[in-house]
Structures are given as structure tokens and as C-alpha cells.
């Protein structure tokens, strides 16, 4: 198993922000945030987390790996559904605690609910009080019960 | 101050994923993750966090508000630099613990280092061992020492 020592420890703020050393800053749970966008549409497909092992495997293989907080385990995207993600580009943010990957989404979608993106509902702005979500691009592109039937 | 009770508490998984009630799932620190993209270019500008108050103010005003974990306070984006963000659209993800906002970025950039986006370095893929970052779109668009001189 790959631990945090697979990556160099962060140096000074200047080194982290302006340097060329990749020194990811894992949180107290050992995770960085991963934002995943579709390389074609630019849409945000999902937000997930990576531990050091998931990050290393993603870099080494070019296939998106995450750490599932609910299942407490490493997870290769698509290992159950076949809906894998080929990483086209990976970027890191200024303080190196967030990763942005642009991916080619294989199969019908990224969301476990059966949709292309996890962000299929809009939050209307400028309204006080209770907020009612509006479905957008909310059509299911696959049947999650079939896609995940072997898990 | 707005607390979590400003929003309804999450119901069943089915309600959270398939319903129209906005019931954000704040983490143990009272935060949701906010992914911010440029409404024109589609680029990810930054990743930040919102507490209930920041989320409510963003919804009410259409101006991006965040919660600064380092300063432990609510933060209206651009309050120091003038680089405000007008929210064009807000979306929430399947399990309602992440927000995606598309914004019109005013001023020269979103990143406190003086760049348009916080994601100005690429992580090369397929290389074992130490990783050397590659600057992309890394030119500074403003002088952070001037923009933040009053803070």
C-alpha cells in the first residue's frame, strides 16, 4: 500500500504555491479533494476524494482511482459499472490540497444514480426561505440497478 | 448568523438523491465543498468551502461567499481584492455534499497568488517516482501584493 510518504512533504507556502515539486497536502483523514470534469463538455461530472494510493495509481495508470469514504477502500472508477475514466490532464491547485482531472468518461455516465454527471439539479438563486431544486440534464442514461448488480 | 437549521435536514438516501428538497449535507466541520468554474471558459477556477451562512448568502445575493478555514470566518469573494464572483448557476450533487457554481469572475483573477485560476500547474501522468509539476496558464494576471494590500 502506498502511504503519504510516496509523495514529498509540503515545504514553505512559497514552495508549495510557486514551486515545481508535487507535494500534495492531505487532510487529517489522508485525503485530497478531486474535481472531475468531462474533457469534451467541460461539465463537472463528480467530486470525490483521493488518498495517497489513489493519487499514485491515477498518476501511474492514467485511470481515475478514488478513495471511498463510505466503503473505506480504494476504488478504481468503473470497476463495478464499467464506466471507467481515462485521465486526459491532471492539475493541482495553489495550496496543493485539491486536484482537478479532465477525463474521458467511458460508458453512459459517472453518477451512481444513473446519470452522466452527479450535478443534475440546480439551486435557484435569489429566493429566501426553503429552496426547491430544479432538475437539469437529469435524465438517467443508464439503469444503476443493472450497472452495479455485481457489487 | 445563519446555522445549519437554515436548511432542512437530509432525509433518506432516495429523498436526497431523487428529491427536489435542498438539504445540504454539511460535514463534521459544518462545511460543503464548493467547485467554482468560469462560466465563459469552463475552467475550474478554485475549490473552496461553504458553511450554512456562506451558502445562504450566496443563494440570497448571487455573489459568491465562502468560509475560510484558515481565517475561521465568512468571506465574500473579492471583499479585499475587488475580484468578486457573480454566480450564473448553482448546482448540487447527488448526495448534496458538494456545490458547483458557474461564475462570472470579475477583475483579473480568482487565485490569491495572482492568477486567473488556482489550477496553474499540471501533474504529468505515467511517470514513476518524484513528480515535477509543469506550469500551464501560470502567468500572473495581477500583483497579489497590490490587490491584497489592505488586508
Amino acid at each position: 500500500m502506498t502511504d503519504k510518504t510516496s509523495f514529498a512533504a509540503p515545504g514553505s507556502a512559497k514552495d508549495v504555491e510557486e514551486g515545481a515539486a508535487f507535494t500534495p497536502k492531505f487532510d487529517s483523514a489522508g485525503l485530497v479533494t478531486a474535481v472531475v470534469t468531462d474533457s469534451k463538455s467541460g461539465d463537472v461530472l463528480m467530486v470525490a476524494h483521493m488518498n495517497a494510493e489513489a493519487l499514485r495509481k491515477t498518476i501511474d495508470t492514467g485511470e481515475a482511482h478514488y478513495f471511498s469514504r463510505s466503503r473505506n477502500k480504494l476504488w478504481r472508477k468503473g470497476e463495478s459499472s464499467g464506466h471507467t475514466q481515462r485521465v486526459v490532464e491532471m492539475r493541482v491547485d495553489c495550496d496543493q490540497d485539491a486536484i482537478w482531472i479532465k477525463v474521458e468518461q467511458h460508458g453512459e455516465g459517472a453518477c451512481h444514480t444513473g446519470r452522466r454527471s452527479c450535478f443534475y439539479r440546480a439551486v435557484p438563486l435569489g429566493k429566501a426561505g426553503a429552496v426547491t431544486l430544479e432538475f437539469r440534464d437529469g435524465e438517467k442514461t443508464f439503469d444503476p440497478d443493472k450497472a452495479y448488480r455485481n457489487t
Side-chain angles (χ1 to χ4, degrees), chain A:
Chain A
M1 178 164 169
T2 310
D3 65 15
K4 287 191 214 178
T5 60
S6 169
F7 298 98
S12 69
K14 184 162 188 288
D15 288 342
V16 168
E17 293 177 355
E18 299 296 336
F22 184 45
T23 56
K25 189 162 75 182
F26 298 99
D27 68 11
S28 59
L31 304 173
V32 292
T33 301
V35 176
V36 186
T37 62
D38 185 303
S39 63
K40 294 193 188 74
S41 69
D43 284 346
V44 178
L45 294 174
M46 53 188 279
V47 171
H49 295 83
M50 292 182 181
N51 64 357
E53 186 181 15
L55 188 52
R56 176 59 71 186
K57 282 185 184 290
T58 303
I59 292 170
D60 286 353
T61 66
E63 292 287 327
H65 291 69
Y66 306 106
F67 183 80
S68 168
R69 294 180 298 176
S70 57
R71 291 178 288 154
N72 197 41
K73 65 187 281 270
L74 184 81
W75 156 50
R76 182 172 68 80
K77 178 68 182 167
E79 64 187 7
S80 307
S81 63
H83 302 167
T84 56
Q85 293 174 336
R86 183 86 204 156
V87 181
V88 174
E89 187 178 24
M90 177 185 284
R91 294 206 185 188
V92 65
D93 77 343
C94 47
D95 56 1
Q96 302 205 25
D97 66 353
I99 300 291
W100 168 22
I101 53 175
K102 302 178 194 177
V103 304
E104 281 177 8
Q105 176 67 56
H106 297 162
E108 293 88 354
C111 184
H112 78 287
T113 66
R115 296 171 174 99
R116 180 146 188 90
S117 160
C118 295
F119 292 87
Y120 48 85
R121 290 171 296 183
V123 182
L125 302 174
K127 295 182 181 171
V131 176
T132 301
L133 300 173
E134 298 170 358
F135 280 75
R136 293 206 191 145
D137 314 317
E139 305 77 23
K140 296 202 179 189
T141 53
F142 64 96
D143 181 344
D145 290 336
K146 287 183 182 161
Y148 297 99
R149 65 185 162 189
N150 296 321
T151 62

